[in-house]
Every structure is written in C-alpha cells, then in structure tokens.
Amino acid sequence: MEKNEALNALAALGQETRLDVFRLLVKTGKEGMTAGAVADALEVLPNTLSTHLAALSRSGLVAAERAGRSIQYRANLDTMQFLVTYLLQDCCAGHPELCAPIATLVNSGDPSNSGSC
Amino acid sequence: MEKNEALNALAALGQETRLDVFRLLVKTGKEGMTAGAVADALEVLPNTLSTHLAALSRSGLVAAERAGRSIQYRANLDTMQFLVTYLLQDCCAGHPELCAPIATLVNSGDPSNSGSC
DNA sequence: TCCATATTTCGAGAATACTCGAATTATATG
DNA sequence: CATATAATTCGAGTATTCTCGAAATATGGA
C-alpha cells in the first residue's frame, strides 16, 4: 500500500536526529558512512543512533551493508524519489494548476543543471 | 530556520489521520472543507480532528478561515512546495546525478500535463 | 434573549517514542 | 584463542503523542 510507505518515510524524517542522519548520508553519496562515523559527526550515542538508523532502514530511506567490522549506511534515493512523487501526486490530484509552481521550480534554476535537478 | 519548517511539516504529515486530512483538503482545492465535513468524511471525532487540524495549521500545511458558524480549512500548497523543494535540495546537494530520476519523473508524464505537474 | 450548531479547549488515560547505560553479537587481529 | 573494535539489542525511565468525554467558546437564527 503506497500510502503506508509514504507515511513511514514521512514519520521517519519527521524527527530531528533522523532528518540530520539522512541529510548527512545524502551528502556523502553512494559511499555512505559507517554508523560510528555518523554518530561522531552528529554527536549522538552509538546505541541511540542505531535505533534511528534502524527506523530509517525500516522505512527504506537508508540501506545498510557490512564492511568488515563496520556497517556502511547510505541514503536510498529511490525511496526519496517515491516520497516526493507521492507528495506531488497528492498536490496535483484534481487540481494540477495549484501545483504548477512546484514543477516550475524543479524545471527552472541553473540551466547547466537542467535535466538533473 | 528552514530545517525546522521542513521538520514540522514532515512530522505533521507523518501521522495517518493528518496525512488523510491533508490529502482530502488537497482534493477539494481552494474551496476547502469545514472542520465538520472533514470529521464526517474521515470518521474522526470533531475534537480529535480539531487537534490534528491545529497541528497541520501550526506547520503551515493548512489555513483556516471562519465562515459563519463553520471554519473552512484548505491545504496550503505553498508549504508543500517548500517541503518538496527542501527534500529535493537535500537529495541533490553535492550529488545531482543521483536525483536525476526525480526531476525526470516530474518533467515527464502526460504531455498535456506538461508545465503543471 | 434563548437556543441550536460548529468548533475548540481542557483534563486524563493509554500508547508510543526517545534516550541512556549495560550487556550482547559480530568481526578482525595479535 | 584472547582481545579489541563496531554495532546492535535489551531494559528502564522520561517525555511526548494520541484519543476521548466533558465543558467552554463563538456564531447565527427564532
């Protein structure tokens, strides 16, 4: 059920530490970061962070992969894409004209960036 | 602070009843709905709904206006635009190539819809 | 003014979420 | 095998959120 996936993602991101974690992981790109590195960067206790990473993982916003002793986490942008799409569909449903500014914004901006962001 | 606005909006939408309310209000467009009509439609007690509407209002996702005895609520798409923009910026920050699919999705679709959604 | 309607506010109870210290699991290395 | 490192799981305490019945507020009409 699509709504629940969106709901889980929204709930996961609606918590400051988790939003910070996700933003940090997005910044690091495909390489991602180890759980410990995230904990250090955000100054969160490792066990507390682990709980938040588990929540992000359950909602599909991050993916985990063991690398030696560490576990590497990275943002899953497919889920973010799904979430943004879901939100846009909601906005546009029945009233496309109301959402024009959003599409405009996404389409506009630096021309060199056109087609990507 | 931009992050807190986004955080509030995410937290507001990360709750099933509130997500339902917002989606319903988006569907009704600019006219919106009275609090009572929303309560009836979603089968939520009026006082419970009032709490959720207040939360949505605080986060800027809905606007309220008294109309006689009733209070008319409508979705505030500016805030949704802000939220989607914030999420996209996060995604693209430093790694634009990773977000291309999102922009592509927004740009593509039914040509008759091009420029709006 | 009196009454009905619409909504919100208040107060309390139950459930959920967040955080932390301690213990546990998994992996690597000497 | 023993030890160190990395991360998770467990258990408990606190805080927050959700829901509801009851009471209060605001508006419109007889």
Side-chain angles (χ1 to χ4, degrees):
Chain A
M1 197 190 191
E2 246 191 8
K3 192 184 86 173
N4 282 319
E5 289 177 57
L7 194 53
N8 289 337
L10 288 166
L13 293 175
Q15 202 278 338
E16 185 159 25
T17 303
R18 287 195 296 265
L19 183 57
D20 289 342
V21 169
F22 183 76
R23 278 156 45 93
L24 181 59
L25 290 178
V26 166
K27 279 205 209 101
T28 65
K30 335 185 223 285
E31 318 105 60
M33 280 175 86
T34 64
V38 174
D40 286 348
L42 300 181
E43 301 184 66
V44 179
L45 288 179
N47 56 353
T48 298
L49 179 72
S50 185
T51 302
H52 288 307
L53 283 170
L56 286 167
S57 194
R58 258 181 271 120
S59 73
L61 283 162
V62 307
E65 191 180 8
R66 183 169 279 278
R69 279 194 266 225
S70 301
I71 295 183
Q72 199 79 6
Y73 281 90
R74 60 199 141 67
N76 182 357
L77 295 179
D78 288 349
T79 299
M80 178 51 75
Q81 172 180 343
F82 162 79
L83 177 59
V84 169
T85 303
Y86 180 84
L87 294 176
L88 286 175
Q89 282 173 347
D90 261 23
C91 276
C92 294
H95 294 268
E97 75 282 5
L98 296 177
C99 280
I102 299 179
T104 300
L105 186 147
V106 175
N107 294 337
S108 70
D110 182 6
S112 72
N113 207 19
S114 176
S116 61
C117 294
Chain B
M1 200 193 192
E2 248 192 8
K3 193 183 85 172
N4 281 320
E5 288 178 57
L7 195 53
N8 289 337
L10 288 165
L13 292 175
Q15 202 278 339
E16 186 160 24
T17 303
R18 286 195 296 263
L19 183 57
D20 289 341
V21 169
F22 183 75
R23 277 156 46 91
L24 182 59
L25 289 178
V26 165
K27 280 205 209 99
T28 66
K30 336 184 221 288
E31 318 104 62
M33 282 175 86
T34 65
V38 175
D40 287 346
L42 300 180
E43 301 184 64
V44 179
L45 289 178
N47 56 352
T48 299
L49 179 73
S50 185
T51 302
H52 289 308
L53 283 170
L56 286 167
S57 193
R58 257 181 271 119
S59 72
L61 283 162
V62 307
E65 190 180 8
R66 182 169 280 277
R69 276 193 268 224
S70 302
I71 295 182
Q72 199 79 8
Y73 281 90
R74 60 199 141 66
N76 183 359
L77 295 178
D78 288 349
T79 299
M80 178 52 74
Q81 172 178 345
F82 163 78
L83 177 59
V84 169
T85 302
Y86 180 85
L87 293 176
L88 286 174
Q89 282 173 347
D90 261 22
C91 275
C92 294
H95 294 267
E97 74 283 4
L98 297 176
C99 281
I102 299 180
T104 300
L105 186 147
V106 175
N107 294 335
S108 71
D110 180 9
S112 73
N113 207 18
S114 176
S116 62
C117 295

